[in-house]
Amino acid sequence: RLRAHAVPIFVGTVALVTALVAAGVALVENRIDHHQVNWWAFAVFGVLLVVAETRPSFTLRFGEGGEITPGWAFAFALLLLGSPLSAMALSAVATLTAEVLARKSFIKIVFNVSQVSLSLGLGTLVLHLSGLSGPSLSRGDISFLQSLGMIVAGFVVLFTSAMLLFVVMALSRGISVWVPIREGWLTSVSADGALLAIAPIFVVAV
């Protein structure tokens, strides 16, 4: 009986933490000069994100329940363009749209939306702590510490997303979390990590 409630309790906790982190991101957003944000590039990456998330042909599946899409590259690029709250909101909408079109269950929709939002939110806070808030990357004026912060932020996004997925998979199957980690870690982390790595290139290019 406890196992039957484990996943809903975990997903509810993740959703609550996501809301708290989003509130922190909103505070960061208030300090940003939005006149310097490249909104045209933001719109382009936003469209690419929605297309990547909603088109099954762009999805690579691995193991039981794992999916990799190029959407992470576009989501992280949106984050680096300088409006993190907008990036979180657009990523959440793209994920929600994809899940509804795929007719996923309510609990899966809540989890997947919270997963991407929380991952990007924590990444935003790392960027802020490193002094990389706003569209600094697109102007090219970043310090070594800020560059390091960007790398750490990418890792936090990647690690958070992967671990949330592995925990919920373990809870749903009633197994140790190390089982899905061994099954999907190398595939998911290496692929998603490669996608996140090219996001700064996109931003600098525009």
Side-chain angles (χ1 to χ4, degrees), residues 102-115:
R103 298 183 178 180
K104 297 287 184 67
S105 66
F106 175 77
I107 195 71
K108 286 185 177 181
I109 292 176
V110 173
F111 171 74
N112 288 330
V113 172
S114 299
Q115 176 196 26

Side-chain angles (χ1 to χ4, degrees), residues 48-170:
L48 291 174
L49 171 62
V50 173
V51 172
E53 291 296 324
T54 57
R55 291 292 296 274
S57 56
F58 289 106
T59 301
L60 172 65
R61 301 181 185 277
F62 68 96
E64 183 179 335
E67 295 181 350
I68 298 172
T69 73
W72 274 119
F74 303 129
F76 197 56
L78 289 172
L79 203 65
L80 296 175
L81 280 170
S83 181
L85 192 61
S86 299
M88 284 182 62
L90 189 53
S91 298
V93 170
T95 303
L96 176 62
T97 302
E99 299 302 288
V100 171
L101 290 176
R103 298 183 178 180
K104 297 287 184 67
S105 66
F106 175 77
I107 195 71
K108 286 185 177 181
I109 292 176
V110 173
F111 171 74
N112 288 330
V113 172
S114 299
Q115 176 196 26
V116 66
S117 301
L118 179 57
S119 301
L120 292 175
L122 292 177
T124 295
L125 298 182
V126 172
L127 290 173
H128 178 68
L129 290 175
S130 68
L132 189 58
S133 297
S136 300
L137 182 61
S138 60
R139 299 193 303 267
D141 53 345
I142 59 175
S143 64
F144 172 77
L145 179 60
Q146 291 172 330
S147 299
L148 184 61
M150 183 173 59
I151 295 173
V152 174
F155 174 80
V156 168
V157 170
L158 175 65
F159 181 81
T160 302
S161 174
M163 289 308 301
L164 288 174
L165 174 62
F166 294 145
V167 170
V168 81
M169 288 173 65

Side-chain angles (χ1 to χ4, degrees), residues 1-73:
R1 188 173 182 179
L2 180 60
R3 176 184 168 186
H5 295 288
V7 171
I9 291 174
F10 176 72
V11 172
T13 302
V14 172
L16 177 60
V17 174
T18 300
L20 295 175
V21 170
V25 173
L27 294 177
V28 174
E29 185 83 17
N30 287 333
R31 303 180 181 182
I32 294 175
D33 181 5
H34 292 88
H35 292 92
Q36 298 182 16
V37 177
N38 187 341
W39 291 110
W40 285 106
F42 195 95
V44 170
F45 286 126
V47 170
L48 291 174
L49 171 62
V50 173
V51 172
E53 291 296 324
T54 57
R55 291 292 296 274
S57 56
F58 289 106
T59 301
L60 172 65
R61 301 181 185 277
F62 68 96
E64 183 179 335
E67 295 181 350
I68 298 172
T69 73
W72 274 119

